[in-house]
């Protein structure tokens, strides 16, 4: 075994920074222990070693702040750690894991995240980890797991997942997680997965809890009320349907009378509309209005002439000239006796 196969930098050194190619000369390095340091700055290529020989990396209790986590995410992406098998990030007070943080570690088999402050797992957190065999999430701050988190855990397959010693809140919101525990084929430490609150569920195993125990069942009285309301709606629908069928049947029996009545109504409406249309044409056309006025004047003159002719004497004649509309009255004397 060569001397550089295992390299340990203990907490006595209190390292705060890792520069580029810090371990590039250790071409046979297999195990690197950087635990219990105070890393605040990590270069993107700090862990880059020719040939990617590193198999185990221990960074427990070594990240000083969130900036160090961001730098580590970049270093894992660009460090050429495709052969890494075990990564220990426990005890770093991590509150979240950036999505895709481990996607460039395809051969990773063990991921240790215990003793942090993780509260949620987001979509894509464990993407690209097709060879993972063990995931340790014990002693964190999980109160439940969302649908996205459960989907991420399902993608990992039948691996060993440690979820114990978290402050789980046993309420209706945790029922999806309980269902996953009851159905999952993953090797979960179910004996350590217990309720922390409320007080009535303290130290109760999550696995096996039903919806009724979690308070997710609707009260019986509410169910009865809802069922009665649904029955009333169904009965009302049946009554309205029956009335509609009777109405249609009556219309069918009187279809001939209905047809005759509709035709008569149509003809009456046509007559009324034609009358309105005729009056509208007369009122809107000035020529028709002039003719109407002349006809009225001629009729008045005719009545006047009739009245005058009745008042004339027998010896009076009326001559009407073709070129003039004036009437001349001629009076003749008595016939002369010869």
């Amino acid at each position: 075994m060569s001397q550089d196969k295992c390299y340990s930098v203990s907490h006595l050194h209190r390292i705060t920074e890792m520069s580029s190619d810090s371990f590039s000369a250790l071409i046979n390095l297999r195990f690197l222990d950087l635990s219990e340091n105070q890393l605040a700055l990590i270069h993107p290529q700090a862990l880059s070693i020719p040939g990617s020989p590193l198999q185990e990396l221990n960074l427990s209790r070594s990240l000083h702040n969130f900036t160090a986590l961001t730098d580590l995410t970049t270093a894992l992406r660009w460090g050429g750690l495709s052969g890494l098998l075990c990564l220990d990030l426990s005890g770093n007070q991590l509150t979240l894991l950036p999505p895709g943080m481990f996607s460039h570690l395809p051969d990773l088999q063990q991921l240790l995240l215990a003793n942090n402050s993780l509260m949620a797992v987001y979509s894509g957190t464990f993407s690209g980890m097709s060879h993972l065999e063990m995931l340790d999430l014990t002693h964190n701050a999980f109160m439940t797991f969302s649908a996205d988190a459960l989907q991420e855990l399902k993608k990992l397959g039948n691996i060993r997942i440690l979820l114990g010693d978290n402050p789980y809140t046993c309420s209706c919101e945790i029922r999806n997680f309980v269902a996953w525990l009851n159905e999952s084929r993953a090797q979960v430490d179910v004996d350590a997965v217990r309720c922390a609150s409320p007080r009535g569920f303290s130290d109760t195993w999550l696995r096996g809890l039903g919806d009724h125990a979690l308070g997710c069942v609707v009260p019986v009285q509410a169910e009865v009320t809802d069922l009665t309301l649904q029955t009333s709606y169904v009965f009302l629908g049946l009554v309205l349907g029956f009335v509609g069928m009777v109405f249609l049947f009556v219309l069918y029996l009187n279809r001939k009378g209905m047809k005759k009545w509709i035709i008569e109504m149509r003809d009456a409406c046509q007559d009324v509309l034609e009358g309105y249309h005729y009056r509208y044409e007369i009122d809107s056309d000035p020529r028709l209005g002039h003719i109407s006025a002349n006809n009225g004047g001629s009729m008045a003159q005719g009545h006047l002439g009739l009245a005058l002719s009745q008042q004339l004497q027998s010896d009076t004649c009326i001559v009407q000239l073709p070129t003039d509309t004036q009437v001349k009255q001629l009076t003749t004397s008595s016939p002369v006796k010869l």
Side-chain angles (χ1 to χ4, degrees):
M1 183 180 296
S2 58
Q3 239 179 4
D4 56 356
K5 204 164 188 178
C6 179
Y7 193 88
S8 175
V9 181
S10 67
H11 64 281
L12 298 177
H13 294 83
R14 296 293 181 185
I15 298 175
T16 60
E17 180 180 347
M18 285 199 303
S19 59
S20 176
D21 300 322
S22 298
F23 309 99
S24 59
L26 306 175
I27 58 175
N28 294 319
L29 185 63
R30 298 288 184 272
F31 308 101
L32 178 59
D33 185 358
L34 294 171
S35 60
E36 300 189 34
N37 284 288
Q38 295 182 352
L39 295 173
L41 181 62
I42 303 175
H43 192 275
Q45 294 186 346
L47 300 173
S48 179
I49 303 174
S52 303
L54 196 62
Q55 295 180 357
E56 184 175 335
L57 176 61
N58 186 356
L59 289 170
S60 60
R61 301 176 300 280
S62 62
L63 302 180
H64 182 64
N65 50 32
F66 182 78
T67 304
L69 175 64
T70 305
D71 292 345
L72 177 61
T73 303
T74 307
L76 293 177
R77 176 184 293 270
W78 302 105
L81 300 175
S82 58
L84 193 66
L85 302 178
C86 179
L87 176 61
D88 189 351
L89 293 175
S90 57
N92 283 300
Q93 298 182 353
L94 303 178
T95 57
L96 61 87
L97 299 173
M101 178 178 180
F102 312 106
S103 59
H104 293 270
L105 306 175
D107 293 336
L108 193 66
Q109 297 178 0
Q110 296 184 14
L111 179 59
L112 310 179
L113 297 168
N115 294 294
N116 283 293
S117 300
L118 298 174
M119 299 180 63
V121 174
Y122 301 100
S123 179
T125 299
F126 302 123
S127 61
M129 306 178 68
S130 57
H131 293 88
L132 193 66
E133 298 178 357
M134 196 269 284
L135 174 64
D136 188 356
L137 293 173
T138 58
H139 295 282
N140 277 278
F142 293 109
M143 291 186 288
T144 185
F145 285 91
S146 64
D148 290 340
L150 294 177
Q151 191 64 30
E152 286 295 306
L153 296 179
K154 289 178 182 178
K155 291 179 181 179
L156 297 178
N158 304 333
I159 69 170
R160 186 183 179 193
I161 304 178
L162 305 180
L163 301 172
D165 299 302
N166 281 289
Y168 296 113
T169 301
C170 292
S171 62
C172 192
E173 288 74 16
I174 206 172
R175 60 179 176 178
N176 291 333
F177 176 47
V178 174
W180 178 82
L181 286 176
N182 295 331
E183 300 171 1
S184 177
R185 297 181 180 179
Q187 304 171 36
V188 183
D189 55 335
V190 291
D191 292 338
V193 182
R194 299 171 180 259
C195 302
S197 62
R199 182 175 299 178
F201 287 96
S202 181
D203 207 35
T204 302
W205 288 330
L206 265 73
R207 189 170 187 175
L209 284 178
D211 289 349
H212 183 74
L214 293 172
C216 302
V217 179
V218 180
V220 177
Q221 184 62 34
E223 290 183 351
V224 172
T225 303
D226 186 59
L227 182 60
T228 304
L229 186 60
Q230 291 180 1
T231 305
S232 301
Y233 286 147
V234 172
F235 180 74
L236 179 60
L238 292 175
V239 171
L240 293 177
F242 179 74
V243 172
M245 291 178 63
V246 171
F247 178 73
L248 293 176
F249 183 69
V250 172
L251 289 179
Y252 176 76
L253 294 178
N254 296 275
R255 60 188 183 278
K256 293 183 179 180
M258 291 293 297
K259 183 177 180 181
K260 181 180 178 182
W261 178 77
I262 292 174
I263 293 174
E264 291 177 353
M265 289 294 296
R266 183 192 64 186
D267 295 340
C269 291
Q270 285 182 347
D271 293 340
V272 173
L273 291 176
E274 287 177 358
Y276 281 117
H277 183 69
Y278 178 72
R279 291 179 59 185
Y280 174 76
E281 287 184 346
I282 292 177
D283 294 340
S284 62
D285 195 336
R287 294 176 299 175
L288 297 177
H290 178 68
I291 293 173
S292 177
N294 289 339
N295 290 337
S298 299
M299 293 177 64
Q301 289 179 1
H303 290 300
L304 179 60
L306 180 60
L308 290 175
S309 63
Q310 291 178 353
Q311 296 177 1
L312 290 177
Q313 301 296 327
S314 60
D315 58 350
T316 304
C317 65
I318 299 174
V319 179
Q320 184 175 0
L321 298 178
T323 58
D324 192 5
T325 59
Q326 295 180 357
V327 178
K328 294 182 179 181
Q329 182 176 349
L330 298 178
T331 306
T332 59
S333 58
S334 301
V336 177
K337 296 183 180 179
L338 296 176

